[in-house]
């Protein structure tokens, strides 16, 4: 252990004496928690001296052409004779120390060892394997759960007929490579090779191919990767792709891709949450709303509105998050609105950067929110303490945004005509949003959709939370698939008074996992799952 402490402190220990001397010269470089030093410097300092097993020889670095030794292969008092005593061939690998070039690096791990052995005491796990997920059938309770890694024919099948249309939707934050590198502190638990885009993209594409969803809602899609790899690969699989990049310096955005064989495109409606004339909206997040027409022979079916977004992360800016959500809901209302005053079926996906049960989440599901006295940092539920945080202002956004408290676009007041209020139809009243002064505005937000979440967010048997994202800092749920569905007892409830044409029925969903489940495979990303988010997947039925 003395040798280990010395190396951690940057000192070497002599074999014959007890003296210490600097082992890592000024040429050392930091790699996250770990340190590297040129081989020739360490060879000069450490020749014929004991080295602890904290030394790792990472062959996955491009400048290190030697094999990878980890602390689990050797005990703390192991001494590598081939490196530091002679030039004899190592018995387990066919290499010699003189194969180490002068530009090679030696890697010193800074993971703290526990008292029971040489296993790191951080969240890092040494276990390898695949995540086990299965289909959960919602409508047919007699079916058994099916492992998704088994026979693909065992998956719940989407069938089309003259009176029904089945389709599947995946929502997946695929982790932009630029964001990964800018936030490397979130991935200290990962081995370096699994973080390279050249390793990650084939895994992501493999997942998409395997699940074979009819609609893909992807977040954190990096622009250059989208143009050169993602879009061509998806188009070769039969998808039509639409993309909206963020409006600032971050080169990622949202994409919605759908299969030509299932849908035709009616309209594409990008949403930019940055508004130069609104100081509150100074962030570059975006959304994307598509109106799709199901391809059903000889049957007139309603269109389906699919929305995708990635809301602001900042846990202390709930005012921006709610305003971004209101802008997305206003666009959905405009796109999904039909001539008879009803709304077509809606699927809303994305990374909402809010946890289940938070005010923002409750607003989506319940259609109403009274935010009077609500702390700005409590909106998303990401932070428990609201100490020192201001209260949401009333109203949250200024009138010049052009969005009402009902989360629809405001229109100019109807010109005065020779009619009394009783002569106006209810449809005319619904379509008219009258601009009112700030004094008359209440602290109540509403929206007109009856939305349900595909997932329940907790395991019913244990009450343990499901998680959709897992990295070094946290493991929580922030990704969702919401859909419009007929609910029992919604009549007369605020925000649910608008009729839906053919509400969607949830057939099945791909199960989620617990935090403990994910750490058994070293968290996310790992060798088989190449994003720090899990893909969400649901199968729906539209009754015609």
């Amino acid at each position: 252990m003395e040798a280990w402490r010395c190396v951690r402190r940057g000192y070497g220990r002599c074999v014959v004496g007890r003296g210490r001397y600097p082992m890592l010269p000024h040429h050392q470089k930091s790699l996250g928690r770990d340190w590297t030093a040129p081989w020739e410097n360490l060879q000069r300092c450490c020749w014929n001296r004991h080295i602890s097993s904290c030394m790792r020889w990472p062959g996955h670095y491009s400048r290190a052409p030697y094999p990878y030794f980890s602390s689990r292969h050797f005990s703390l008092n192991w001494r590598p004779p081939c490196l530091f005593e002679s030039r004899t061939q190592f018995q387990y690998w066919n290499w010699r120390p003189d194969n180490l070039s002068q530009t090679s690096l030696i890697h010193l791990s800074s993971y703290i060892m526990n008292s029971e052995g040489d296993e790191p005491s951080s969240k890092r796990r040494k276990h390898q394997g695949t995540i086990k997920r299965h289909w959960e059938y919602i409508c047919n309770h007699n079916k058994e759960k099916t492992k998704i890694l088994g026979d693909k024919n065992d998956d719940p099948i989407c069938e089309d007929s003259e009176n029904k249309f089945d389709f599947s939707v995946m929502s997946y934050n695929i982790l932009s490579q630029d964001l990964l590198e800018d936030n490397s502190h979130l991935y200290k638990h990962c081995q370096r090779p699994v973080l390279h885009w050249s390793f990650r993209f084939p895994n992501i594409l493999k997942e998409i191919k395997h699940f074979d969803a009819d609609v893909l809602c992807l977040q954190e899609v990096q622009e250059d990767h989208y143009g050169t790899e993602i879009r061509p690969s998806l188009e070769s699989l039969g998808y039509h792709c639409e993309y909206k990049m963020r409006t600032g310096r971050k080169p990622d955005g949202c994409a919605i891709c759908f299969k030509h064989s299932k849908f035709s495109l009616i309209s594409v409606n990008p949403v930019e949450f940055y508004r130069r004339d609104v100081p509150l909206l100074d962030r570059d997040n975006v959304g994307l709303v598509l109106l799709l027409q199901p391809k059903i022979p000889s049957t007139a079916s309603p269109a389906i509105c699919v929305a995708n977004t990635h809301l602001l992360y900042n846990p202390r800016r709930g005012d921006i998050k709610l305003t971004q959500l209101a802008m997305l809901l206003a666009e959905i209302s405009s796109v999904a609105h039909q001539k008879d005053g009803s709304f077509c079926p809606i699927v809303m996906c994305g990374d909402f950067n809010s946890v289940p049960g938070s005010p923002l989440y409750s607003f989506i599901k319940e259609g109403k929110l009274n935010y009077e006295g609500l702390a700005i940092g409590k909106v998303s539920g990401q932070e428990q303490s609201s100490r020192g945080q201001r209260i949401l202002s009333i109203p949250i956004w200024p009138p010049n945004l052009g969005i009402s408290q009902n989360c629809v676009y405001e229109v100019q007041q109807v010109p005065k005509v020779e009619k009394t209020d009783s002569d106006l139809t209810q449809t005319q009243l619904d379509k008219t949003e009258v601009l009112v002064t700030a004094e008359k505005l209440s602290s109540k937000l509403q929206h007109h959709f009856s939305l349900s979440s595909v997932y329940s967010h907790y395991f019913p048997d244990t009450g343990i939370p499901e998680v959709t994202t897992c990295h070094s800092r946290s493991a929580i749920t922030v990704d969702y698939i919401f859909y419009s569905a007929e609910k029992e007892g919604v009549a007369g409830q605020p925000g649910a008074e608008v009729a839906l044409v053919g509400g969607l029925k949830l057939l099945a969903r791909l199960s989620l996992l617990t935090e403990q489940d994910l750490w058994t495979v070293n968290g996310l990303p790992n060798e088989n799952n190449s994003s720090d988010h899990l893909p969400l997947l649901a199968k729906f039925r539209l009754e015609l």
Side-chain angles (χ1 to χ4, degrees), residues 14-140:
C14 181
V15 175
V16 294
R18 293 181 178 271
R20 296 178 180 176
Y21 53 89
M23 189 178 78
L24 298 180
H26 66 279
H27 303 290
Q28 63 188 17
K29 295 181 180 180
S30 173
L31 283 175
R33 292 181 179 176
D34 304 339
W35 297 92
T36 63
W39 160 251
E40 65 274 12
N41 295 335
L42 197 62
Q43 183 185 42
R44 183 170 59 252
C45 295
C46 301
W47 197 263
N48 282 335
R49 294 178 175 90
H50 282 290
I51 293 296
S52 73
S53 67
C54 65
M55 286 193 177
R56 297 190 293 165
W57 311 86
H60 53 263
Y61 291 120
S62 60
R63 290 179 291 176
Y66 35 83
Y68 178 81
F69 292 170
S70 72
S71 58
R72 63 181 173 178
H73 294 123
F74 310 104
S75 63
L76 282 174
N77 58 6
W78 175 79
R79 186 179 181 184
C82 68
L83 288 178
F84 303 105
E85 291 185 359
S86 70
R87 294 176 177 263
T88 57
Q89 184 174 351
F90 189 67
Q91 58 179 326
Y92 300 112
W93 286 277
N94 186 22
W95 63 288
R96 296 173 181 270
D98 51 3
N99 289 333
L100 300 177
S101 67
Q102 294 299 308
T103 60
S104 299
L105 297 179
I106 186 169
H107 186 201
L108 305 179
S109 172
S110 65
Y111 281 108
I112 300 174
M113 300 300 176
N114 56 38
S115 58
E116 297 179 356
D118 59 351
E119 189 79 2
S121 59
S122 67
K123 283 184 176 179
R124 179 171 179 169
R125 299 290 189 268
K126 293 297 184 181
H127 308 298
Q128 300 297 330
T130 57
I131 292 176
K132 303 294 184 182
R133 301 178 69 182
H134 55 260
W135 284 105
E136 296 174 345
Y137 296 87
I138 308 302
C139 296
N140 190 345

Side-chain angles (χ1 to χ4, degrees), residues 98 115 127 140 152 188 237 266 279 291 295 305 308 392 496 502-503 524 541 543:
D98 51 3
S115 58
H127 308 298
N140 190 345
K152 188 174 179 179
K188 293 178 180 179
L237 297 176
I266 298 177
L291 192 62
K295 289 186 176 180
C305 179
N308 183 24
L392 287 170
L524 296 173
R541 173 166 293 170
E543 301 285 355

